[in-house]
Amino acid sequence: MRKIDIAVVDYGMGNLRSVSKALEHVAPSKNVLVTSNPDDIANAHRVVFPGQGAMPDCIRELDLRGLRDAVLHAAENKPFLGICIGMQMLFDHSEEGDAAGLALLKGNVKRFAAADMKDSSGAKLKVPHMGWNQVYQAKPHALWQDIADGERFYYVHSYYVQPKDDSLTSGYSAYPSPFTSAIAINNLFAVQFHPEKSANAGLQMLSNFVRWQP
Amino acid sequence: MSLAKRIIPCLDVTDGRVVKGINFLELRDAGDPVEIAKRYDDQGADELTFLDITASSDNRGLILHIIEQVASQVFIPLTVGGGVREVEDVRRLLNAGADKVSINTTAVLNPQMVADAASRFGSQCIVVAIDAKKVDNQPFQWEVFTHGGRKATGLDAVKWAEYMAKLGAGELLVTSMDRDGTKIGFNNPLNRAISDAVDIPIIASGGVGNLQHLVDGVQQGGADAVLAASIFHYGEYTVQQAKEYMAQHGIEVRL
């Protein structure tokens, strides 16, 4: 059986190339595999669970490929990094398409209320929340190592997670109200922003993940 | 502190080289796309936009190779536009490493394609590019043009922007054809009218000649991001200088 250092879960939604390229960049000696095979996920040392598009479609495609159990097992047993929809799917339910999530974590996924959102100068805030926003670290974690508190990461999303248990929150951003943008529990870390598109700060986070021993 | 306004250097690419023209004409060579992309990334560019301006003629496949090369070395969002005609073109560009695909002429010829691409790949990766020009023979101020600015459509740019947002565009790239290449500043009234009309972010484009124009684009035009080409290509300003200038004028940027 071949050795897989990092499996990137591919369920047919969106572009995984940037995630795998960024991982290869920070860990050139590691074997990074983009895969839709549950056995590969079971055999991998680390798992990255990205996501793009609409959550109901993501869940459907995940199930069509028989990946649900492998992802849930990995999320509870090995270093696991969820990104964007890959974070949202871990929760109970999303307002997007009124969809059930994987329900590993308690909480819901909510939409930004575009009509009511203004910045401090009174200007309208757009949805999707697109661009570089500051991420504040709620508590220390191996994945924040060498990343400044308040560092900017790249976001593009219209929905955000609202964990039932506040202690899950490892990082947050404001748009305009604070929302959870990183969660951590045991071997699991997940972020709403895109580390693979966040220049040096993002590469630092991926490098931290590749070396993380939870 | 909150979301930063973005600075997006734009690389017009033809036959594998970056070029810059004036009012869509008179192309001058500005360098190798991969080298230029890396330089802008080093300077702190927030995103990069590649427009394949010869997409309708030969060498169209070249852009895919360029994007593949850039995407394995530059880890910021990449937008690619030019000659995107069908959902399959979007897929190819995303697979090559683009994060967003910009749709222009096809959006006018076949608006359903925007809806189809957004529902298949997500609104986050669908940018609709609107080339607009001031007109005085219509009941509105700004008309949408296609085919690199050669064809009038009879469409009101502001209404068109609203329609594209409704169909699933995640962002709008608004280019003033009157201003493009002129270095006299963005068309801020146009950008403001569109920005106020939609909830999605808009990128202002066309006409930047100095750093104050970038500030005006945000403060007067209501742009969420500003796009510029020539002021960066010819070394007049670095992206870093542009950001420092914007920060000094009270605009939140990623420094």
Side-chain angles (χ1 to χ4, degrees):
Chain A
M1 192 179 299
R2 68 184 157 161
K3 169 173 164 282
I4 303 165
D5 295 312
I6 306 163
V8 178
V9 183
D10 178 8
Y11 45 94
M13 290 293 293
N15 172 22
L16 306 181
R17 188 186 165 91
S18 53
V19 177
S20 65
K21 286 285 161 205
L23 288 164
E24 285 164 9
H25 186 83
V26 299
S29 64
K30 303 285 185 189
N31 177 20
V32 179
L33 184 71
V34 175
T35 179
S36 49
N37 181 342
D39 294 340
D40 289 339
I41 295 164
N43 292 331
H45 293 300
R46 294 167 195 277
V47 172
V48 176
F49 187 42
Q52 279 186 348
M55 189 172 126
D57 299 332
C58 289
I59 294 278
R60 186 191 66 230
E61 295 297 319
L62 193 71
D63 281 337
L64 274 175
R65 288 165 179 75
L67 289 166
R68 178 187 286 248
D69 292 346
V71 167
L72 285 172
H73 185 267
E76 292 189 295
N77 291 285
K78 57 182 86 175
F80 185 97
L81 177 63
I83 299 174
C84 194
I85 312 284
M87 175 200 208
Q88 296 179 5
M89 282 195 283
L90 301 173
F91 286 84
D92 289 320
H93 179 267
S94 176
E95 287 182 2
E96 186 173 21
D98 190 21
L102 299 176
L104 180 70
L105 303 173
K106 295 227 171 305
N108 294 311
V109 182
K110 316 263 290 178
R111 192 174 210 281
F112 286 116
D116 315 329
M117 291 170 29
K118 304 259 191 275
D119 71 11
S120 52
S121 69
K124 175 166 79 170
L125 291 176
K126 305 296 185 68
V127 176
H129 172 228
M130 185 186 285
W132 300 77
N133 203 338
Q134 290 185 288
V135 178
Y136 300 97
Q137 298 165 19
K139 54 180 111 167
H141 192 281
L143 267 73
W144 295 127
Q145 196 186 324
D146 296 326
I147 295 172
D149 192 19
E151 181 61 84
R152 289 185 189 273
F153 287 83
Y154 184 80
Y155 284 92
V156 50
H157 65 125
S158 300
Y159 295 81
Y160 61 95
V161 301
Q162 217 168 44
K164 196 165 176 212
D165 177 1
D166 283 342
S167 70
L168 274 183
T169 299
S170 183
Y172 60 93
S173 294
Y175 195 66
S177 307
F179 68 92
T180 295
S181 61
I183 56 164
I185 179 169
N186 306 322
N187 57 297
L188 183 156
F189 197 86
V191 292
Q192 180 59 62
F193 50 82
H194 289 270
E196 77 280 14
K197 284 289 154 187
S198 295
N200 290 338
L203 295 175
Q204 181 65 51
M205 173 165 277
L206 293 176
S207 170
N208 292 342
F209 172 69
V210 167
R211 289 179 286 119
W212 183 28
Q213 303 292 345
Chain B
M1 299 296 269
S2 183
L3 187 65
K5 299 297 179 186
R6 290 168 279 154
I7 294 191
I8 308 176
C10 177
L11 291 71
D12 287 352
V13 178
T14 182
D15 299 326
R17 298 289 289 179
V18 176
V19 292
K20 184 63 194 163
I22 296 170
N23 289 72
F24 286 76
L25 299 165
E26 295 178 48
L27 301 179
R28 284 166 68 186
D29 188 87
D32 174 66
V34 179
E35 263 173 43
I36 294 178
K38 283 168 75 173
R39 186 166 79 225
Y40 292 150
D41 179 33
D42 290 342
Q43 292 176 6
D46 295 309
E47 296 186 34
L48 295 172
T49 289
F50 295 82
L51 289 179
D52 188 358
I53 58 171
T54 52
S56 53
S57 57
D58 300 339
N59 295 337
R60 205 201 305 183
L62 271 178
I63 193 76
L64 294 175
H65 296 293
I66 291 170
I67 297 307
E68 277 173 18
Q69 282 178 278
V70 173
S72 51
Q73 300 175 58
V74 171
F75 299 98
I76 57 176
L78 307 175
T79 301
V80 186
V84 177
R85 290 185 176 74
E86 44 193 86
V87 171
E88 181 59 21
D89 294 329
V90 177
R91 194 189 63 80
R92 266 198 292 269
L93 287 166
L94 294 176
N95 282 349
D99 300 286
K100 309 181 203 178
V101 171
S102 159
I103 304 170
N104 189 338
T105 297
T106 300
V108 174
L109 300 178
N110 177 19
Q112 184 58 35
M113 189 272 198
V114 171
D116 292 346
S119 86
R120 174 139 172 224
F121 305 109
S123 289
Q124 85 288 339
C125 64
I126 304 301
V127 180
V128 171
I130 301 176
D131 291 343
K133 198 192 269 188
K134 185 103 169 69
V135 286
D136 44 24
N137 60 342
Q138 295 279 9
F140 47 78
Q141 278 190 278
W142 300 286
E143 182 170 353
V144 178
F145 280 68
T146 58
H147 297 84
R150 293 189 299 276
K151 272 195 187 166
T153 63
L155 295 163
D156 173 351
V158 178
K159 290 272 180 294
W160 178 246
E162 289 175 358
Y163 182 49
M164 288 296 101
K166 195 173 145 217
L167 282 190
E171 193 172 30
L172 300 172
L173 168 59
V174 183
T175 301
S176 162
M177 292 171 45
D178 308 293
R179 301 299 179 96
D180 196 58
T182 63
K183 295 181 163 283
I184 59 172
F186 293 121
N187 187 332
N188 292 316
L190 165 69
N191 294 332
R192 171 58 72 182
I194 291 180
S195 186
D196 285 349
V198 298
D199 286 332
I200 59 177
I202 79 152
I203 306 166
S205 159
V208 176
N210 62 44
L211 302 183
Q212 184 59 38
H213 292 154
L214 302 177
V215 170
D216 294 343
V218 171
Q219 292 178 339
Q220 295 173 22
D224 301 282
V226 287
L227 181 137
S230 56
I231 61 163
F232 299 133
H233 294 336
Y234 300 120
E236 289 166 62
Y237 304 101
T238 64
V239 176
Q240 180 72 22
Q241 284 171 326
K243 287 186 158 185
E244 284 165 2
Y245 187 89
M246 289 170 81
Q248 284 159 15
H249 289 74
I251 296 173
E252 193 166 342
V253 293
R254 176 178 71 109
L255 282 170

